[in-house]
Short mmCIF file of all heavy atoms in Angstrom, two decimals:
data_model
loop_
_atom_site.label_atom_id
_atom_site.label_comp_id
_atom_site.label_asym_id
_atom_site.label_seq_id
_atom_site.Cartn_x
_atom_site.Cartn_y
_atom_site.Cartn_z
N LEU A 822 8.86 12.38 17.75
CA LEU A 822 7.85 12.60 18.78
C LEU A 822 8.29 12.10 20.16
O LEU A 822 7.80 12.59 21.19
CB LEU A 822 6.54 11.90 18.39
CG LEU A 822 5.85 12.42 17.12
CD1 LEU A 822 4.65 11.53 16.79
CD2 LEU A 822 5.40 13.88 17.31
N GLY A 823 9.21 11.12 20.17
CA GLY A 823 9.68 10.58 21.44
C GLY A 823 8.87 9.40 21.93
O GLY A 823 9.05 8.95 23.08
N TYR A 824 7.97 8.88 21.11
CA TYR A 824 7.20 7.69 21.50
C TYR A 824 6.70 6.98 20.24
O TYR A 824 6.60 7.58 19.17
CB TYR A 824 6.02 8.05 22.40
CG TYR A 824 4.97 8.94 21.76
CD1 TYR A 824 3.85 8.40 21.14
CD2 TYR A 824 5.11 10.33 21.77
CE1 TYR A 824 2.89 9.21 20.54
CE2 TYR A 824 4.17 11.15 21.19
CZ TYR A 824 3.06 10.57 20.57
OH TYR A 824 2.12 11.38 19.98
N SER A 825 6.44 5.68 20.38
CA SER A 825 6.01 4.88 19.23
C SER A 825 4.51 5.01 19.00
O SER A 825 3.75 5.47 19.87
CB SER A 825 6.36 3.41 19.46
OG SER A 825 7.74 3.25 19.64
N LYS A 826 4.08 4.56 17.83
CA LYS A 826 2.67 4.59 17.49
C LYS A 826 1.87 3.75 18.48
O LYS A 826 2.31 2.68 18.91
CB LYS A 826 2.49 4.03 16.06
CG LYS A 826 1.19 4.44 15.40
CD LYS A 826 1.20 4.03 13.94
CE LYS A 826 -0.06 4.51 13.23
NZ LYS A 826 -0.06 4.13 11.80
N HIS A 827 0.70 4.27 18.87
CA HIS A 827 -0.23 3.63 19.81
C HIS A 827 0.23 3.72 21.27
O HIS A 827 -0.46 3.24 22.16
CB HIS A 827 -0.49 2.15 19.45
CG HIS A 827 -0.91 1.95 18.03
ND1 HIS A 827 -1.99 2.62 17.47
CD2 HIS A 827 -0.39 1.17 17.04
CE1 HIS A 827 -2.13 2.25 16.21
NE2 HIS A 827 -1.16 1.38 15.92
N GLN A 828 1.40 4.32 21.53
CA GLN A 828 1.81 4.54 22.91
C GLN A 828 1.16 5.81 23.46
O GLN A 828 0.86 6.74 22.71
CB GLN A 828 3.34 4.68 23.02
CG GLN A 828 4.09 3.37 23.03
CD GLN A 828 5.57 3.58 23.34
OE1 GLN A 828 6.12 4.65 23.07
NE2 GLN A 828 6.21 2.57 23.87
N GLN A 829 0.96 5.85 24.77
CA GLN A 829 0.43 7.04 25.42
C GLN A 829 1.55 8.06 25.60
O GLN A 829 2.69 7.70 25.86
CB GLN A 829 -0.16 6.68 26.79
CG GLN A 829 -1.37 5.76 26.72
CD GLN A 829 -2.57 6.45 26.08
OE1 GLN A 829 -2.81 7.63 26.32
NE2 GLN A 829 -3.31 5.72 25.25
N SER A 830 1.21 9.34 25.47
CA SER A 830 2.21 10.39 25.66
C SER A 830 1.53 11.67 26.10
O SER A 830 0.39 11.95 25.73
CB SER A 830 2.99 10.64 24.36
OG SER A 830 3.82 11.76 24.49
N SER A 831 2.26 12.47 26.89
CA SER A 831 1.75 13.76 27.36
C SER A 831 2.16 14.89 26.41
O SER A 831 1.85 16.06 26.64
CB SER A 831 2.28 14.07 28.76
OG SER A 831 3.69 14.06 28.77
N SER A 832 2.87 14.56 25.34
CA SER A 832 3.35 15.56 24.39
C SER A 832 2.18 16.26 23.70
O SER A 832 1.14 15.64 23.41
CB SER A 832 4.25 14.90 23.34
OG SER A 832 4.58 15.82 22.32
N THR A 833 2.34 17.56 23.45
CA THR A 833 1.29 18.31 22.75
C THR A 833 1.29 17.99 21.25
O THR A 833 0.28 18.17 20.58
CB THR A 833 1.49 19.83 22.92
OG1 THR A 833 2.83 20.17 22.50
CG2 THR A 833 1.32 20.23 24.38
N ASN A 834 2.43 17.51 20.76
CA ASN A 834 2.51 17.13 19.35
C ASN A 834 2.15 15.65 19.20
O ASN A 834 2.38 14.85 20.10
CB ASN A 834 3.92 17.39 18.82
CG ASN A 834 3.98 17.39 17.30
OD1 ASN A 834 2.95 17.42 16.63
ND2 ASN A 834 5.18 17.37 16.74
N ALA A 835 1.59 15.29 18.06
CA ALA A 835 1.18 13.90 17.84
C ALA A 835 1.11 13.63 16.34
O ALA A 835 1.23 14.54 15.52
CB ALA A 835 -0.19 13.65 18.48
N ARG A 836 0.94 12.36 15.99
CA ARG A 836 0.78 12.00 14.58
C ARG A 836 -0.50 12.61 14.02
O ARG A 836 -1.48 12.78 14.72
CB ARG A 836 0.72 10.47 14.44
CG ARG A 836 2.09 9.82 14.62
CD ARG A 836 1.98 8.30 14.71
NE ARG A 836 3.31 7.71 14.83
CZ ARG A 836 4.02 7.71 15.94
NH1 ARG A 836 3.52 8.25 17.04
NH2 ARG A 836 5.24 7.18 15.97
N ASN A 837 -0.43 12.90 12.73
CA ASN A 837 -1.58 13.53 12.08
C ASN A 837 -1.80 12.91 10.71
O ASN A 837 -1.89 13.58 9.69
CB ASN A 837 -1.33 15.04 11.95
CG ASN A 837 -2.56 15.79 11.49
OD1 ASN A 837 -3.68 15.38 11.75
ND2 ASN A 837 -2.35 16.89 10.78
N GLY A 838 -1.85 11.56 10.70
CA GLY A 838 -2.09 10.85 9.46
C GLY A 838 -0.87 10.84 8.55
O GLY A 838 0.27 11.00 8.99
N THR A 839 -1.12 10.67 7.26
CA THR A 839 -0.04 10.61 6.28
C THR A 839 -0.43 11.41 5.05
O THR A 839 -1.60 11.78 4.86
CB THR A 839 0.26 9.16 5.84
OG1 THR A 839 -0.93 8.61 5.24
CG2 THR A 839 0.70 8.31 7.02
N SER A 840 0.56 11.69 4.23
CA SER A 840 0.30 12.32 2.94
C SER A 840 1.01 11.50 1.86
O SER A 840 2.08 10.92 2.11
CB SER A 840 0.80 13.76 2.91
OG SER A 840 2.18 13.82 3.17
N SER A 841 0.43 11.44 0.68
CA SER A 841 1.03 10.67 -0.42
C SER A 841 2.14 11.48 -1.08
O SER A 841 2.05 12.70 -1.19
CB SER A 841 -0.03 10.33 -1.47
OG SER A 841 -1.00 9.47 -0.90
N LYS A 842 3.17 10.78 -1.50
CA LYS A 842 4.28 11.45 -2.17
C LYS A 842 4.85 10.53 -3.23
O LYS A 842 5.06 9.34 -2.99
CB LYS A 842 5.37 11.81 -1.14
CG LYS A 842 6.52 12.61 -1.73
CD LYS A 842 7.42 13.14 -0.62
CE LYS A 842 8.49 14.06 -1.16
NZ LYS A 842 9.30 14.68 -0.10
N HIS A 843 5.10 11.07 -4.41
CA HIS A 843 5.72 10.31 -5.49
C HIS A 843 7.24 10.45 -5.38
O HIS A 843 7.76 11.56 -5.25
CB HIS A 843 5.25 10.82 -6.86
CG HIS A 843 3.81 10.51 -7.13
ND1 HIS A 843 3.39 9.29 -7.58
CD2 HIS A 843 2.70 11.27 -6.98
CE1 HIS A 843 2.08 9.30 -7.72
NE2 HIS A 843 1.63 10.48 -7.36
N VAL A 844 7.93 9.34 -5.39
CA VAL A 844 9.39 9.36 -5.27
C VAL A 844 10.01 8.59 -6.44
O VAL A 844 9.41 7.67 -6.99
CB VAL A 844 9.86 8.74 -3.94
CG1 VAL A 844 9.39 9.55 -2.76
CG2 VAL A 844 9.41 7.29 -3.80
N LYS A 845 11.22 9.01 -6.80
CA LYS A 845 11.98 8.34 -7.85
C LYS A 845 13.00 7.42 -7.19
O LYS A 845 13.74 7.84 -6.31
CB LYS A 845 12.70 9.36 -8.72
CG LYS A 845 11.78 10.31 -9.45
CD LYS A 845 12.58 11.39 -10.17
CE LYS A 845 11.66 12.42 -10.79
NZ LYS A 845 12.43 13.56 -11.37
N THR A 846 13.03 6.17 -7.62
CA THR A 846 13.99 5.22 -7.08
C THR A 846 14.67 4.50 -8.24
O THR A 846 14.30 4.67 -9.40
CB THR A 846 13.30 4.18 -6.19
OG1 THR A 846 12.56 3.27 -7.01
CG2 THR A 846 12.36 4.83 -5.18
N GLU A 847 15.65 3.68 -7.90
CA GLU A 847 16.33 2.90 -8.94
C GLU A 847 15.39 1.88 -9.58
O GLU A 847 15.70 1.30 -10.61
CB GLU A 847 17.55 2.20 -8.35
CG GLU A 847 17.22 1.29 -7.17
CD GLU A 847 18.46 0.81 -6.45
OE1 GLU A 847 19.24 0.07 -7.07
OE2 GLU A 847 18.61 1.15 -5.27
N PHE A 848 14.23 1.66 -8.94
CA PHE A 848 13.25 0.71 -9.48
C PHE A 848 12.10 1.41 -10.19
O PHE A 848 11.10 0.79 -10.52
CB PHE A 848 12.70 -0.17 -8.35
CG PHE A 848 13.77 -0.84 -7.54
CD1 PHE A 848 14.04 -0.43 -6.24
CD2 PHE A 848 14.54 -1.86 -8.07
CE1 PHE A 848 15.03 -1.03 -5.49
CE2 PHE A 848 15.54 -2.47 -7.34
CZ PHE A 848 15.80 -2.04 -6.05
N GLY A 849 12.22 2.72 -10.38
CA GLY A 849 11.16 3.47 -11.03
C GLY A 849 10.42 4.37 -10.05
O GLY A 849 10.80 4.49 -8.88
N LYS A 850 9.33 4.98 -10.51
CA LYS A 850 8.55 5.88 -9.66
C LYS A 850 7.65 5.06 -8.73
O LYS A 850 7.07 4.06 -9.13
CB LYS A 850 7.70 6.82 -10.50
CG LYS A 850 8.50 7.91 -11.19
CD LYS A 850 7.59 8.91 -11.89
CE LYS A 850 8.39 10.04 -12.53
NZ LYS A 850 7.50 11.00 -13.23
N SER A 851 7.54 5.55 -7.48
CA SER A 851 6.68 4.89 -6.50
C SER A 851 5.87 5.94 -5.77
O SER A 851 6.27 7.11 -5.68
CB SER A 851 7.50 4.10 -5.47
OG SER A 851 8.25 3.09 -6.08
N GLN A 852 4.74 5.51 -5.23
CA GLN A 852 3.95 6.39 -4.36
C GLN A 852 4.01 5.84 -2.94
O GLN A 852 3.69 4.68 -2.72
CB GLN A 852 2.49 6.47 -4.83
CG GLN A 852 1.64 7.40 -3.97
CD GLN A 852 0.25 7.61 -4.55
OE1 GLN A 852 0.11 7.98 -5.70
NE2 GLN A 852 -0.76 7.33 -3.76
N ILE A 853 4.46 6.66 -2.00
CA ILE A 853 4.56 6.21 -0.62
C ILE A 853 3.77 7.14 0.30
O ILE A 853 3.40 8.26 -0.09
CB ILE A 853 6.03 6.13 -0.14
CG1 ILE A 853 6.65 7.52 -0.09
CG2 ILE A 853 6.84 5.21 -1.03
CD1 ILE A 853 7.95 7.56 0.65
N GLN A 854 3.52 6.66 1.52
CA GLN A 854 2.81 7.44 2.51
C GLN A 854 3.80 8.03 3.52
O GLN A 854 4.53 7.28 4.17
CB GLN A 854 1.78 6.57 3.23
CG GLN A 854 0.73 5.96 2.31
CD GLN A 854 -0.05 7.04 1.58
OE1 GLN A 854 -0.55 7.99 2.17
NE2 GLN A 854 -0.15 6.88 0.25
N VAL A 855 3.84 9.34 3.60
CA VAL A 855 4.77 10.03 4.51
C VAL A 855 4.00 10.47 5.75
O VAL A 855 2.99 11.17 5.64
CB VAL A 855 5.39 11.27 3.82
CG1 VAL A 855 6.34 12.00 4.77
CG2 VAL A 855 6.11 10.85 2.55
N PRO A 856 4.44 10.07 6.94
CA PRO A 856 3.74 10.47 8.16
C PRO A 856 3.83 11.98 8.41
O PRO A 856 4.82 12.62 8.06
CB PRO A 856 4.45 9.68 9.27
CG PRO A 856 5.79 9.36 8.71
CD PRO A 856 5.61 9.22 7.23
#
C-alpha cells in the first residue's frame, strides 16, 4: 500500500480487514489472519 497501518494516505486502495487461513507448518496446522 505504501504506508503503515493507522497512517493517513491519499491512496484509493486501503486495508480491508483480514481473512482466516489454515496453514501447514513444521509445528503442525495453524490458523492465521491474512490481511
Side-chain angles (χ1 to χ4, degrees):
L822 295 174
Y824 63 93
S825 300
K826 201 171 183 179
H827 307 306
Q828 279 188 334
Q829 295 293 321
S830 172
S831 57
S832 172
T833 55
N834 196 13
R836 286 170 177 76
N837 189 29
T839 61
S840 60
S841 296
K842 185 170 186 175
H843 291 279
V844 295
K845 298 174 186 174
T846 73
E847 57 191 295
F848 306 109
K850 287 186 178 179
S851 299
Q852 182 173 306
I853 66 167
Q854 300 301 310
V855 179

